[in-house]
């Protein structure tokens, strides 16, 4: 198996959540983030959307700049900043290119990029009637589910974000293994 995308000195661990729409990926990630932060980890998230979205407000300055043809518009305040980049017909950048835009983190959680070469947890609800992804994805390391399954991977309770967080933290390494609080660059086996 090839080396995972994005792992290394810039990001300690890039870890994904894969599953069908409605399986609970966003909710689970939302519950895991504060637990990782409480464990002393700097956390970032990349969310891939399959539909067109725009969070800019029509008529506002930044929207007007983009409509005028600007490729990038950076909005900044004393609370946050956001960089909007218009593809203008260019292909969507892959996960590696997206990670290059991110500040260094101990953990980057990925929602979407279902087929990316990154370690991931499959989020599966049998009630949705969808097939499991793990048979076709060697990067899936565990399955978070709300029902018993007969699979060759570790099962995590979808309703136990502490257990999911512990699974991820076991791959990041302990703070003692991270001199100076910097990402170790090598996920634990």
């Amino acid at each position: 198996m090839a080396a995972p995308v994005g792992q290394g000195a810039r990001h300690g661990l890039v870890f994904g959540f894969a599953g069908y729409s409605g399986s609970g990926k966003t909710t689970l990630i939302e519950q895991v983030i504060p637990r990782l932060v409480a464990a002393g980890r700097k956390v970032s998230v990349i969310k891939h959307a399959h539909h067109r979205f725009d969070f800019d407000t029509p008529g506002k300055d930044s929207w007007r700049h983009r409509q005028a043809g600007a490729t990038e518009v950076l909005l900044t305040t004393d609370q946050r900043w956001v960089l909007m980049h218009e593809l203008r017909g260019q292909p969507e950048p892959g996960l590696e290119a997206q990670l290059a835009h991110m500040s260094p983190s101990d953990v980057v959680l990925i929602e979407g990029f279902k087929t990316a070469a990154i370690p991931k947890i499959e989020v599966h609800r049998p009630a949705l009637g969808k097939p499991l992804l793990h048979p076709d994805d060697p990067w899936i390391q565990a399955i978070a589910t709300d029902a018993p399954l007969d699979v060759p991977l570790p099962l995590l309770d979808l309703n136990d974000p502490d257990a999911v967080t512990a699974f991820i933290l076991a791959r990041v390494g302990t703070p003692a293994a991270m001199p100076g609080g910097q990402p170790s660059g090598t996920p634990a086996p």
Side-chain angles (χ1 to χ4, degrees):
M1 187 178 317
V5 170
Q7 316 293 39
R10 189 166 175 80
H11 304 294
L13 178 68
V14 176
F15 202 90
F17 289 79
Y20 291 96
S21 179
S23 63
K25 297 180 303 292
T26 300
T27 300
L28 184 56
I29 291 169
E30 179 182 30
Q31 294 169 336
V32 166
I33 291 169
R35 287 163 171 83
L36 290 170
V37 170
R41 301 304 193 270
K42 181 178 177 184
V43 180
S44 296
V45 177
I46 294 179
K47 161 70 174 153
H48 185 264
H50 291 285
H51 45 80
R52 186 178 175 163
F53 76 96
D54 195 343
F55 57 88
D56 204 6
T57 305
K60 292 293 185 179
D61 295 350
S62 56
W63 182 87
R64 292 171 56 195
H65 297 317
R66 287 190 306 122
Q67 294 305 310
T71 300
E72 288 189 336
V73 175
L74 191 140
L75 295 148
T76 187
T77 71
D78 62 350
Q79 300 294 311
R80 69 191 54 87
W81 64 270
V82 62
L83 175 64
M84 291 181 285
H85 182 96
E86 294 292 323
L87 292 176
R88 305 255 183 243
Q90 296 298 312
E92 178 182 356
L95 181 56
E96 190 76 43
Q98 297 299 331
L99 286 164
H101 291 292
M102 306 285 289
S103 298
S105 294
D106 298 319
V107 181
V108 180
L109 300 177
I110 308 294
E111 182 179 350
F113 291 98
K114 195 183 310 185
T115 61
I118 57 172
K120 60 188 80 115
I121 292 173
E122 178 174 352
V123 180
H124 182 77
R125 291 185 189 270
L128 290 177
K130 300 288 188 180
L132 286 162
L133 300 172
H134 84 86
D136 298 320
D137 187 344
W139 291 98
I140 293 176
Q141 297 183 352
I143 300 174
T145 184
D146 60 354
L149 296 174
D150 183 20
V151 295
L153 295 172
L155 291 179
L156 304 169
D157 184 342
L158 181 56
N159 299 307
D160 185 356
D162 290 328
V164 175
T165 303
F167 185 86
I168 294 168
L169 283 171
R171 276 126 190 91
V172 176
T174 62
M178 298 169 63
Q182 296 302 310
S184 67
T186 307

